[in-house]
Amino acid sequence: LSVPSGEPFPVERETALLTEWLRPVPDGVYLDVGCSTALYARALSSACPQARTVGLDISPGMLREAARKAADEGRKVFLIQADAESLPFFADSVDGVCMGGTLNELGKGAEQALRECRRVLKPGGRFFCMFLLESDRWQGRMLQEGAKLGGIRFWTEQESWELFQDAGFRVAGMETHGIVCFARLEAG
């Protein structure tokens, strides 16, 4: 995240924000939506090995890489191939949800995916989301315009705040570093 944030931002700093916000507990269930290589799921498993940590992604290739990385690190992470817009979990069944960068990639499905995250989250549960904001610099906007052609979406801070509220979350805080934004959300 060093390039889009414009400051040194090692992965350890990102995962520290994640675990600080979600505060995983033994026997808790934590879901990493759009997990890619399960960075967040692996970090949660490391922070609380007794928690049940699930990584979910639509890509079989990403899930294979996530399984390899989790095995190499000795982390217990359950992996599921599924779509973020239709989570295979009961309502109010998950203690914490996280999403790292996937929100931008969901395109028009972002709203539905957020509603699904809210649906599965227990009342009072927490959601940690990292995403990229719309750039306020012309150079950044030019790059983002190209990404938009591929279906990537960007929001202003105000638009993202409204996006989260419309999905049923209470925004507990947002932290920005350049165009990188970390949203700390709670289930109402």
Side-chain angles (χ1 to χ4, degrees):
L1 295 179
S2 295
V3 172
S5 70
E7 62 186 81
F9 214 106
V11 71
E12 294 82 10
R13 183 174 172 194
E14 180 180 2
T15 56
L17 289 171
L18 164 75
T19 56
E20 176 185 310
W21 175 245
L22 287 187
R23 288 184 267 157
V25 297
D27 296 324
V29 178
Y30 299 90
L31 177 59
D32 182 357
V33 177
C35 71
S36 183
T37 62
L39 172 66
Y40 284 1
R42 291 182 286 120
L44 292 169
S45 177
S46 176
C48 186
Q50 305 86 0
R52 291 171 285 173
T53 307
V54 180
L56 180 142
D57 204 283
I58 201 163
S59 167
M62 283 287 123
L63 291 171
R64 280 192 295 278
E65 185 63 15
R68 186 190 65 74
K69 286 182 176 272
D72 288 350
E73 296 173 8
R75 304 283 173 246
K76 184 178 179 183
V77 176
F78 300 96
L79 298 169
I80 298 173
Q81 183 182 1
D83 190 330
E85 295 179 45
S86 181
L87 298 175
F89 294 89
F90 291 115
D92 303 331
S93 63
V94 176
D95 296 286
V97 176
C98 54
M99 183 184 291
T102 299
L103 189 64
N104 298 97
E105 299 170 357
L106 291 171
K108 294 183 180 189
E111 290 85 353
Q112 176 59 27
L114 286 171
R115 284 191 295 275
E116 277 293 282
C117 289
R118 174 58 192 93
R119 181 186 65 77
V120 302
L121 197 57
K122 291 178 181 177
R126 294 173 170 214
F127 181 28
F128 178 88
C129 185
M130 186 282 291
F131 61 100
L132 300 179
L133 294 168
E134 183 175 275
S135 179
D136 59 358
R137 295 184 165 172
W138 71 268
Q139 302 95 327
R141 284 206 175 147
M142 285 182 58
L143 290 171
Q144 288 181 342
E145 285 303 314
K148 288 177 184 178
L149 294 174
I152 305 295
R153 288 177 68 189
F154 303 93
W155 300 270
T156 65
E157 195 168 333
Q158 180 61 38
E159 289 169 340
S160 61
W161 189 286
E162 292 167 6
L163 181 72
F164 296 133
Q165 288 181 324
D166 288 349
F169 289 103
R170 183 180 80 74
V171 180
M174 292 177 82
E175 182 176 322
T176 60
H177 302 269
I179 63 168
V180 176
C181 188
F182 297 97
R184 299 167 187 224
L185 311 171
E186 293 179 349

